[in-house]
Amino acid sequence: MLDNKTIEIIKSTVPVLQQHGESITGRFYDLMFQNHPELLNIFNQTNQKKKTQRTALANAVIAAAANIDRLGHIIPVIKQIGHKHRSIGIKPEHYPIVGKYLLIAIKDVLGDAAAPDIMQAWEKAYGVIADAFIRIEKEMYEQAEHQTGGWKEYKPFVIAKKVRESKEITSFYLKPEDGKPLCEFQAGQYISIKVRIPDSEYTHIRQYSLSDMPGKDYYRISVKKDGVVSSYLHNKLHEGDTLEISAPAGDFVLDFSSRKDLVLLSAGVGITPLISMLKTSVSKQPERQIVFIHAAKNSEYHALRDEAEEAAEHSSVKTAFVYREPTEKDRTGNIQFHEGQIDQQYLKALIANTDADYYICGSPSFITHMHKLVSELGSAPESIHYELFGPQLSMAKSIS
C-alpha cells in the first residue's frame, strides 16, 4: 500500500502528465529499445512508427496516476492490457526494465520540475502498479497453459486451408502441428501469431480475431492485407506452412448470461470477431433476437457475407449490409443492401428493442460514431462493448 503523501504527490502530477505524457512515453520507448533491442522482438514496430503505442501508454500512465488511491477502478483495463501482454509474452522480468526507463524518461522530459520527492513517489507507485499487472498476468499464463488443450507461450500450427474472402481479406484455417485437441475460446477472442520474415532483423507479433465459432477442430483468422505481417501471410504463406500462435486471449467476449436482444455492428475487417459471436449465439441461444449490421465499401470488399446470410436463415436473426460505394453489379444483382452510411434513422428502423447488448468493432472513427449513435438510442453505457484493433487509445470507458 502507498502512504498518503505518495498518493498526494502522484495525483498532483496528473496535469503535468496530461501535458507531457506523449513526450515522456516517446522518450521512454527510445531509451528502452536503445538499451534492450531484444524487446523489439515483442513490441509492434508499426504501432511505434505510427506513435499509437506511445499514446496508449501515456493514457495508461495518466489513468494510473489519477486512480492511484483506488486502483480497483482500473482493474478492467489492467486485465484488458494483461490479455495482450500474456498473448505476446510479456514476463515479470520485463517490468523492472520498463520501470527503469519510464522513470528516466519522466526526469528527462520534466527536468527540474521532477523534484526528488516526485521521483521517489513515482518509483513507489510504479512498483505497486507493476505488481498488479504481474499478479493478474500470472493467473492468465496459468489458465492458458493448464486448461484442457492449452499450452505455454507459442505453439506451431499448420495452415490447413487458405481461402480468399474478399479483395482484401483472406482466411487461414489453422490446426495444431502435434495433432492434439484445441483449447476452447470465447467468441470475440483473438490469438497472437509470431512470424520470422526473411531479411527482417526481429520477429513480428500480431493479433488476429478468431473468425469462426468455437468447437471446431481448427482456429480461423481472417486477415486484411494492410501491413508487413499481413502481406507476408497473404503473399508468402501457403497451405501446409506453419505459424506459431499463442493460446486465445481477450476480454471482448459475448456475454451468454444476458437475455437481452443482441446488436452486432461492424465495419470492414471488424466483422471477424462479430461473425464468431453471431454464429456462436445462434448455436447456443437460438431464441435470442439478433440484429447484425455490417458496413463495407461494396460486395467486393465484404468478407464472410455468406456466413452472415446463412445465420439469417434463423428466424431470430436479422442481417443488414451497408455499402458506401456499391458497384453496378451490386445495384443490379440480388444482394440486399442499404447505400450510404449507418445513421440514427437507419438504426431506429432496424432495432425494434433498443434495450439490447451492443457489440461494435471496426476502425476508431467507426467505433466512435457507432458508440455515439447507440448512446443516443438511450442504451445503458454498460450494455455497449467495443473492440479496437491496435493499442487502446482511450481508457475513459473504464474510469468514468
Side-chain angles (χ1 to χ4, degrees):
M1 296 293 291
L2 295 172
D3 58 87
N4 290 335
K5 183 179 179 182
T6 298
I7 290 172
E8 182 180 339
I9 291 172
I10 294 298
K11 290 178 77 71
S12 73
T13 63
V14 171
V16 178
L17 293 174
Q18 289 172 331
Q19 182 179 357
H20 299 287
E22 290 193 38
S23 296
I24 291 170
T25 54
R27 177 64 174 152
F28 155 74
Y29 280 119
D30 289 343
L31 286 168
M32 186 174 69
F33 291 140
Q34 285 170 14
N35 290 277
H36 290 273
E38 73 278 5
L39 294 179
L40 289 166
N41 288 303
I42 298 176
F43 286 84
N44 185 325
Q45 293 308 297
T46 298
N47 290 336
Q48 293 295 328
K49 291 174 183 177
K50 292 179 179 179
K51 300 184 179 180
T52 52
Q53 190 67 58
R54 67 180 59 181
T55 302
L57 178 58
N59 286 336
V61 171
I62 292 167
N67 291 272
I68 195 65
D69 55 339
R70 47 186 188 131
L71 283 179
H73 282 66
I74 60 170
I75 288 298
V77 175
I78 292 177
K79 288 184 176 179
Q80 182 185 63
I81 297 172
H83 276 286
K84 180 79 169 287
H85 283 179
R86 196 278 293 162
S87 78
I88 66 176
I90 297 295
K91 301 293 179 59
E93 56 264 32
H94 293 135
Y95 281 93
I97 298 171
V98 170
K100 175 182 178 179
Y101 294 105
L102 182 60
L103 292 173
I104 293 174
I106 290 173
K107 181 64 177 175
D108 284 354
V109 172
L110 299 186
D112 293 341
D117 60 336
I118 289 177
M119 297 309 301
Q120 290 170 7
W122 262 104
E123 184 175 2
K124 291 180 183 178
Y126 177 78
V128 170
I129 295 166
D131 285 345
F133 272 96
I134 291 169
R135 174 176 53 81
I136 288 172
E137 289 164 15
K138 180 176 183 291
E139 294 173 358
M140 291 179 174
Y141 275 107
E142 290 175 349
Q143 190 277 332
E145 181 179 1
H146 298 303
Q147 64 183 314
T148 302
W151 66 91
K152 185 178 181 180
E153 298 180 0
Y154 288 87
K155 177 176 176 175
F157 275 62
V158 176
I159 301 173
K161 188 164 62 171
K162 182 177 177 182
V163 178
R164 187 180 183 188
E165 306 285 5
S166 73
K167 273 195 169 183
E168 296 180 318
I169 296 173
T170 292
S171 287
F172 297 81
Y173 292 73
L174 308 173
K175 293 187 176 184
E177 189 177 56
D178 61 12
K180 292 183 178 179
L182 287 170
C183 63
E184 281 291 320
F185 66 91
Q186 298 181 70
Q189 288 191 308
Y190 57 81
I191 56 173
S192 286
I193 68 164
K194 180 166 64 175
V195 296
R196 294 167 175 81
I197 299 175
D199 301 323
S200 181
E201 185 176 359
Y202 302 102
T203 58
H204 297 264
I205 300 174
R206 294 292 187 274
Q207 288 72 47
Y208 295 105
S209 296
L210 292 160
S211 63
D212 208 342
M213 62 186 294
K216 308 283 189 178
D217 65 346
Y218 58 81
Y219 290 152
R220 184 178 73 179
I221 57 175
S222 300
V223 180
K224 178 181 178 181
K225 184 179 179 181
D226 66 351
V228 173
V229 175
S230 59
S231 294
Y232 177 72
L233 294 176
H234 276 245
N235 299 336
K236 302 298 182 179
L237 293 187
H238 307 285
E239 294 177 1
D241 290 337
T242 60
L243 280 172
E244 291 185 86
I245 75 171
S246 68
D251 62 353
F252 179 67
V253 296
L254 200 57
D255 179 11
F256 285 110
S257 68
S258 175
R259 291 297 177 264
K260 289 184 176 181
D261 290 356
L262 181 62
V263 179
L264 305 174
L265 283 158
S266 63
V269 75
I271 195 173
T272 51
L274 298 196
I275 200 72
S276 177
M277 291 183 180
L278 173 64
K279 296 172 71 171
T280 305
S281 186
V282 167
S283 174
K284 291 189 174 183
Q285 298 177 309
E287 75 290 345
R288 193 174 189 181
Q289 298 299 306
I290 304 173
V291 178
F292 181 88
I293 306 170
H294 180 68
K297 184 177 180 179
N298 52 53
S299 63
E300 294 179 348
Y301 292 83
H302 186 171
L304 307 172
R305 187 184 73 231
D306 292 346
E307 296 185 20
E309 290 176 333
E310 182 179 348
E313 294 176 4
H314 294 260
S315 59
S316 62
V317 179
K318 180 194 300 182
T319 59
F321 307 137
V322 181
Y323 294 163
R324 64 181 183 275
E325 297 178 22
T327 64
E328 188 60 31
K329 182 180 178 181
D330 293 337
R331 291 194 175 95
T332 58
N334 295 321
I335 299 174
Q336 298 296 314
F337 67 91
H338 169 75
E339 183 173 352
Q341 305 286 339
I342 300 173
D343 56 22
Q344 190 69 268
Q345 183 179 358
Y346 186 67
L347 286 182
K348 286 181 178 178
L350 286 172
I351 303 172
N353 180 10
T354 57
D355 182 23
D357 288 324
Y358 297 83
Y359 290 80
I360 308 169
C361 191
S363 68
S365 59
F366 176 81
I367 290 173
T368 299
H369 185 50
M370 291 303 104
H371 193 284
K372 179 177 182 293
L373 294 182
V374 169
S375 297
E376 289 172 352
L377 291 175
S379 305
E382 62 271 18
S383 295
I384 306 173
H385 315 272
Y386 57 87
E387 176 85 317
L388 177 67
F389 294 150
Q392 187 68 40
L393 299 181
S394 173
M395 302 175 75
K397 68 172 183 175
S398 299
I399 60 175
S400 57

